[in-house]
Amino acid sequence: EDQVTQSPEALRLQEGESSSLNCSYTVSGLRGLFWYRQDPGKGPEFLFTLYSAGEEKEKERLKATLTKKESFLHITAPKPEDSATYLCAVQALDQAGTALIFGKGTTLSVSS
Amino acid sequence: SAVISQKPSRDICQRGTSLTIQCQVDSQVTMMFWYRQQPGQSLTLIATANQGSEATYESGFVIDKFPISRPNLTFSTLTVSNMSPEDSSIYLCSGGRASEQYFGPGTRLTVT
């Protein structure tokens, strides 16, 4: 069964304190791995799609990396506005219609 | 990118009634999906909305309970039928292409 596990469930950082969020996945074949940011009361905001091991993508203070079994979302020198829930999702080769399988998310709180 | 809007943004409904949620995309998209997000949980796929044909439902979701229409490449509706308190949730529409999928703001449904 295709599965996505994110850790930690919650992370508290001081402003400027860099850290990483983990997304472990089990799929029969990976079509793509997605990262989203979700603010309270809003829909998920698309961040990145990664396709193959070794691939990296960056956006402002965020960098996503991918291996054959997991992905990391690195947050460099975070600011309070980075506080949100970060969702990881996989798109499996055997998933009809290319829909996404989501993890439960990591809730990040950054204090000044 | 695609901008997705949903109506209504929230509603409180009586047990046994039905609610239709509308999803509008600002550009033509290949794929459209409906997800459910229960409090404190991640997103669960309900169905893939297929343009011009019947939706494809995930295990645990049936057409009689969640009828879906997709008359064109920019619009879809999800109806939650014969509602019970267990249907209280956030319903999210997503659309895009395989490599980039965008979400609407969600419809917060409370069933009393």
Side-chain angles (χ1 to χ4, degrees):
Chain A
E1 180 182 348
D2 300 331
Q3 196 168 356
V4 178
T5 303
Q6 291 187 247
S7 62
E9 290 186 12
L11 180 63
R12 292 184 178 273
L13 299 174
Q14 291 290 318
E15 184 173 4
E17 180 186 2
S18 302
S19 188
S20 296
L21 282 54
N22 178 264
C23 172
S24 299
Y25 62 90
T26 305
V27 291
S28 55
L30 181 69
R31 186 191 301 266
L33 186 139
F34 292 65
W35 282 99
Y36 288 86
R37 169 189 171 130
Q38 186 173 28
D39 292 300
K42 297 188 176 181
E45 174 190 347
F46 173 77
L47 294 174
F48 308 108
T49 308
L50 303 167
Y51 295 100
S52 56
E55 187 175 0
E56 299 182 353
K57 287 191 176 176
E58 291 188 61
K59 181 179 181 178
E60 296 180 0
R61 295 177 292 282
L62 301 176
K63 183 170 79 173
T65 62
L66 181 64
T67 72
K68 288 187 177 180
K69 293 295 183 184
E70 57 191 350
S71 176
F72 293 93
L73 184 65
H74 307 276
I75 303 175
T76 302
K79 298 182 177 182
E81 53 262 41
D82 295 321
S83 298
T85 296
Y86 291 85
L87 299 171
C88 171
V90 296
Q91 192 178 58
L93 286 173
D94 60 357
Q95 179 73 22
T98 69
L100 303 179
I101 302 165
F102 280 85
K104 293 185 176 181
T106 294
T107 299
L108 173 67
S109 299
V110 182
S111 56
S112 57
Chain B
S1 67
V3 177
I4 300 179
S5 59
Q6 288 183 232
K7 289 194 293 187
S9 59
R10 59 178 62 228
D11 208 341
I12 301 173
C13 300
Q14 296 288 326
R15 178 196 302 259
T17 62
S18 298
L19 176 72
T20 295
I21 303 168
Q22 297 181 4
C23 175
Q24 180 72 55
V25 189
D26 71 340
S27 58
Q28 293 187 346
V29 292
T30 309
M31 318 297 301
M32 290 186 76
F33 305 94
W34 287 96
Y35 290 82
R36 183 170 73 181
Q37 186 173 30
Q38 296 186 304
Q41 301 296 313
S42 192
L43 283 74
T44 301
L45 179 67
I46 297 172
T48 302
N50 300 308
Q51 193 260 329
S53 64
E54 192 171 285
T56 305
Y57 291 84
E58 295 299 299
S59 176
F61 298 96
V62 295
I63 187 171
D64 290 345
K65 176 68 175 177
F66 297 101
I68 288 171
S69 77
R70 190 180 172 192
N72 56 50
L73 293 176
T74 63
F75 186 79
S76 179
T77 66
L78 168 74
T79 299
V80 186
S81 303
N82 188 25
M83 287 184 284
S84 67
E86 292 71 37
D87 294 320
S88 297
S89 187
I90 298 172
Y91 292 85
L92 292 149
C93 169
S94 80
R97 46 191 176 151
S99 59
E100 293 182 6
Q101 295 187 18
Y102 301 90
F103 282 82
T107 295
R108 183 179 295 271
L109 171 62
T110 303
V111 183
T112 60

